[in-house]
PDB file of all heavy atoms in Angstrom:
ATOM      1  N   GLN T 262       9.412  48.118  14.763  1.00  0.00           N
ATOM      2  CA  GLN T 262       9.038  49.447  14.283  1.00  0.00           C
ATOM      3  C   GLN T 262       8.814  50.470  15.400  1.00  0.00           C
ATOM      4  O   GLN T 262       8.871  51.669  15.160  1.00  0.00           O
ATOM      5  CB  GLN T 262       7.771  49.349  13.430  1.00  0.00           C
ATOM      6  CG  GLN T 262       7.951  48.481  12.192  1.00  0.00           C
ATOM      7  CD  GLN T 262       6.645  48.140  11.507  1.00  0.00           C
ATOM      8  OE1 GLN T 262       5.584  48.634  11.893  1.00  0.00           O
ATOM      9  NE2 GLN T 262       6.690  47.276  10.512  1.00  0.00           N
ATOM     10  N   VAL T 263       8.535  50.014  16.604  1.00  0.00           N
ATOM     11  CA  VAL T 263       8.275  50.938  17.711  1.00  0.00           C
ATOM     12  C   VAL T 263       9.311  50.781  18.819  1.00  0.00           C
ATOM     13  O   VAL T 263      10.004  51.741  19.178  1.00  0.00           O
ATOM     14  CB  VAL T 263       6.854  50.728  18.281  1.00  0.00           C
ATOM     15  CG1 VAL T 263       6.608  51.666  19.466  1.00  0.00           C
ATOM     16  CG2 VAL T 263       5.808  50.964  17.210  1.00  0.00           C
ATOM     17  N   LEU T 264       9.424  49.567  19.355  1.00  0.00           N
ATOM     18  CA  LEU T 264      10.295  49.381  20.519  1.00  0.00           C
ATOM     19  C   LEU T 264      11.766  49.585  20.175  1.00  0.00           C
ATOM     20  O   LEU T 264      12.490  50.275  20.908  1.00  0.00           O
ATOM     21  CB  LEU T 264      10.062  47.989  21.106  1.00  0.00           C
ATOM     22  CG  LEU T 264      10.831  47.680  22.406  1.00  0.00           C
ATOM     23  CD1 LEU T 264      10.437  48.668  23.492  1.00  0.00           C
ATOM     24  CD2 LEU T 264      10.570  46.241  22.847  1.00  0.00           C
ATOM     25  N   ALA T 265      12.230  48.989  19.076  1.00  0.00           N
ATOM     26  CA  ALA T 265      13.653  49.105  18.722  1.00  0.00           C
ATOM     27  C   ALA T 265      14.066  50.564  18.458  1.00  0.00           C
ATOM     28  O   ALA T 265      15.089  51.012  18.989  1.00  0.00           O
ATOM     29  CB  ALA T 265      13.968  48.221  17.514  1.00  0.00           C
ATOM     30  N   PRO T 266      13.307  51.369  17.669  1.00  0.00           N
ATOM     31  CA  PRO T 266      13.694  52.777  17.505  1.00  0.00           C
ATOM     32  C   PRO T 266      13.672  53.559  18.819  1.00  0.00           C
ATOM     33  O   PRO T 266      14.528  54.415  19.046  1.00  0.00           O
ATOM     34  CB  PRO T 266      12.654  53.315  16.525  1.00  0.00           C
ATOM     35  CG  PRO T 266      12.132  52.136  15.803  1.00  0.00           C
ATOM     36  CD  PRO T 266      12.178  51.010  16.787  1.00  0.00           C
ATOM     37  N   LEU T 267      12.690  53.246  19.683  1.00  0.00           N
ATOM     38  CA  LEU T 267      12.615  53.945  20.955  1.00  0.00           C
ATOM     39  C   LEU T 267      13.832  53.643  21.826  1.00  0.00           C
ATOM     40  O   LEU T 267      14.457  54.553  22.395  1.00  0.00           O
ATOM     41  CB  LEU T 267      11.330  53.548  21.685  1.00  0.00           C
ATOM     42  CG  LEU T 267      11.112  54.190  23.069  1.00  0.00           C
ATOM     43  CD1 LEU T 267      11.081  55.710  22.952  1.00  0.00           C
ATOM     44  CD2 LEU T 267       9.829  53.670  23.703  1.00  0.00           C
ATOM     45  N   VAL T 268      14.195  52.372  21.919  1.00  0.00           N
ATOM     46  CA  VAL T 268      15.371  51.993  22.700  1.00  0.00           C
ATOM     47  C   VAL T 268      16.630  52.604  22.090  1.00  0.00           C
ATOM     48  O   VAL T 268      17.497  53.128  22.803  1.00  0.00           O
ATOM     49  CB  VAL T 268      15.492  50.454  22.789  1.00  0.00           C
ATOM     50  CG1 VAL T 268      16.826  50.053  23.403  1.00  0.00           C
ATOM     51  CG2 VAL T 268      14.337  49.882  23.596  1.00  0.00           C
ATOM     52  N   GLY T 269      16.743  52.564  20.765  1.00  0.00           N
ATOM     53  CA  GLY T 269      17.892  53.163  20.107  1.00  0.00           C
ATOM     54  C   GLY T 269      17.979  54.652  20.371  1.00  0.00           C
ATOM     55  O   GLY T 269      19.075  55.207  20.575  1.00  0.00           O
ATOM     56  N   SER T 270      16.830  55.330  20.394  1.00  0.00           N
ATOM     57  CA  SER T 270      16.816  56.761  20.689  1.00  0.00           C
ATOM     58  C   SER T 270      17.317  57.036  22.104  1.00  0.00           C
ATOM     59  O   SER T 270      18.103  57.969  22.324  1.00  0.00           O
ATOM     60  CB  SER T 270      15.393  57.306  20.520  1.00  0.00           C
ATOM     61  OG  SER T 270      15.323  58.663  20.899  1.00  0.00           O
ATOM     62  N   VAL T 271      16.898  56.234  23.060  1.00  0.00           N
ATOM     63  CA  VAL T 271      17.324  56.415  24.451  1.00  0.00           C
ATOM     64  C   VAL T 271      18.824  56.175  24.587  1.00  0.00           C
ATOM     65  O   VAL T 271      19.547  56.956  25.238  1.00  0.00           O
ATOM     66  CB  VAL T 271      16.518  55.480  25.369  1.00  0.00           C
ATOM     67  CG1 VAL T 271      17.128  55.444  26.765  1.00  0.00           C
ATOM     68  CG2 VAL T 271      15.074  55.928  25.439  1.00  0.00           C
ATOM     69  N   LEU T 272      19.309  55.094  24.012  1.00  0.00           N
ATOM     70  CA  LEU T 272      20.739  54.781  24.124  1.00  0.00           C
ATOM     71  C   LEU T 272      21.585  55.883  23.472  1.00  0.00           C
ATOM     72  O   LEU T 272      22.643  56.263  23.998  1.00  0.00           O
ATOM     73  CB  LEU T 272      21.031  53.426  23.476  1.00  0.00           C
ATOM     74  CG  LEU T 272      20.380  52.208  24.138  1.00  0.00           C
ATOM     75  CD1 LEU T 272      20.746  50.939  23.383  1.00  0.00           C
ATOM     76  CD2 LEU T 272      20.776  52.079  25.598  1.00  0.00           C
ATOM     77  N   THR T 273      21.125  56.392  22.342  1.00  0.00           N
ATOM     78  CA  THR T 273      21.871  57.460  21.667  1.00  0.00           C
ATOM     79  C   THR T 273      21.832  58.752  22.480  1.00  0.00           C
ATOM     80  O   THR T 273      22.832  59.475  22.590  1.00  0.00           O
ATOM     81  CB  THR T 273      21.291  57.707  20.265  1.00  0.00           C
ATOM     82  OG1 THR T 273      21.181  56.467  19.572  1.00  0.00           O
ATOM     83  CG2 THR T 273      22.185  58.633  19.463  1.00  0.00           C
ATOM     84  N   PHE T 274      20.666  59.058  23.071  1.00  0.00           N
ATOM     85  CA  PHE T 274      20.567  60.262  23.896  1.00  0.00           C
ATOM     86  C   PHE T 274      21.496  60.182  25.098  1.00  0.00           C
ATOM     87  O   PHE T 274      22.176  61.172  25.437  1.00  0.00           O
ATOM     88  CB  PHE T 274      19.129  60.469  24.365  1.00  0.00           C
ATOM     89  CG  PHE T 274      19.000  61.550  25.394  1.00  0.00           C
ATOM     90  CD1 PHE T 274      19.020  62.885  25.018  1.00  0.00           C
ATOM     91  CD2 PHE T 274      18.886  61.249  26.747  1.00  0.00           C
ATOM     92  CE1 PHE T 274      18.917  63.902  25.968  1.00  0.00           C
ATOM     93  CE2 PHE T 274      18.794  62.251  27.693  1.00  0.00           C
ATOM     94  CZ  PHE T 274      18.806  63.579  27.305  1.00  0.00           C
TER      95      PHE T 274
END
Side-chain angles (χ1 to χ4, degrees):
Q262 299 168 6
V263 178
L264 184 60
L267 179 59
V268 171
S270 175
V271 169
L272 295 179
T273 310
F274 170 78

